[in-house]
Amino acid sequence: MLTKHTIAVLVNDQPGVLQRVSGLFGRRGFNIESITVGQSEEAGLSRMVIVTEGDSGTLEQIEKQLYKLIDVIKVIDLSSKPMVARELALIKVKAEPNVRPEIMGVVETFRAAVVDIGTHSMMVQVVGDTDKIDAMIELMKPYGIKELSRTGVTAMIRGNAN
């Protein structure tokens, strides 16, 4: 059965590591739904959070292949444990002054924020899980989305587990 998997990969902070990791997925025919990369708590190491889809055998194969890469230090299946996952989206919508109060109602409901207002547009920032971001985008579509940028998922295991 195909399920979504969120994995964290701790890697050496070196040029070309992202390319090698994403290339591995491509060569094996695995799709990357989302990938985020940034500094980790340890100097010289970066953390990649990758969302992919597959069965448990696929996930096991991905882990084994990742460990074959020289710069990969640790692979963690975050989705196998209770985790916190967040994504950020910036959504620029057409917003003439007469529809702005309506848009503000949606923004407040989603605990989002208006981060820019132009003469004919508004830019909204929303943070949450993927379903919340998707729902916000759907509700903004009728106003006319001019531009959309999403960060991809970043995640950590809850509490003291690691």
Side-chain angles (χ1 to χ4, degrees):
M1 183 175 117
L2 290 181
T3 54
K4 231 176 239 192
H5 297 282
T6 304
I7 55 176
V9 185
L10 209 57
V11 297
N12 287 319
D13 190 5
Q14 298 289 329
V17 174
L18 175 60
Q19 181 183 355
R20 286 190 290 281
V21 169
S22 60
L24 180 149
F25 275 76
R27 284 190 309 278
R28 300 281 178 220
F30 304 136
N31 186 42
I32 295 174
E33 278 188 31
S34 161
I35 187 167
T36 59
V37 185
Q39 290 179 322
S40 75
E41 65 283 358
E42 219 171 303
L45 297 181
S46 293
R47 183 179 313 277
M48 296 181 177
V49 178
I50 303 168
V51 178
T52 188
E53 196 173 66
D55 57 23
S56 56
T58 301
L59 181 66
E60 194 177 312
Q61 190 180 0
I62 288 171
E63 284 186 36
K64 285 178 182 173
Q65 295 297 319
L66 284 168
Y67 274 120
K68 288 181 180 178
L69 296 177
I70 190 88
D71 287 309
V72 171
I73 308 302
K74 191 173 185 181
V75 180
I76 306 150
D77 178 13
L78 298 174
S79 47
S80 69
K81 300 176 176 83
M83 70 173 179
V84 175
R86 294 290 181 266
E87 187 175 350
L88 177 137
L90 294 174
I91 309 164
K92 188 187 293 183
V93 294
K94 293 179 189 164
E96 297 302 328
N98 60 324
V99 296
R100 287 180 184 175
E102 210 176 293
I103 293 170
M104 288 302 297
V106 176
V107 167
E108 288 168 18
T109 301
F110 277 80
R111 292 192 181 118
V114 173
V115 292
D116 185 61
I117 297 178
T119 52
H120 304 287
S121 68
M122 291 174 79
M123 187 184 306
V124 176
Q125 169 187 293
V126 61
V127 177
D129 62 26
T130 301
D131 291 341
K132 178 180 178 179
I133 305 294
D134 290 343
M136 181 77 175
I137 290 168
E138 278 306 308
L139 288 173
M140 290 291 113
K141 279 182 181 175
Y143 301 103
I145 295 176
K146 297 175 86 165
E147 202 173 341
L148 170 67
S149 181
R150 294 176 79 154
T151 60
V153 174
T154 191
M156 289 181 153
I157 295 170
R158 288 185 174 277
N160 297 331
N162 39 346

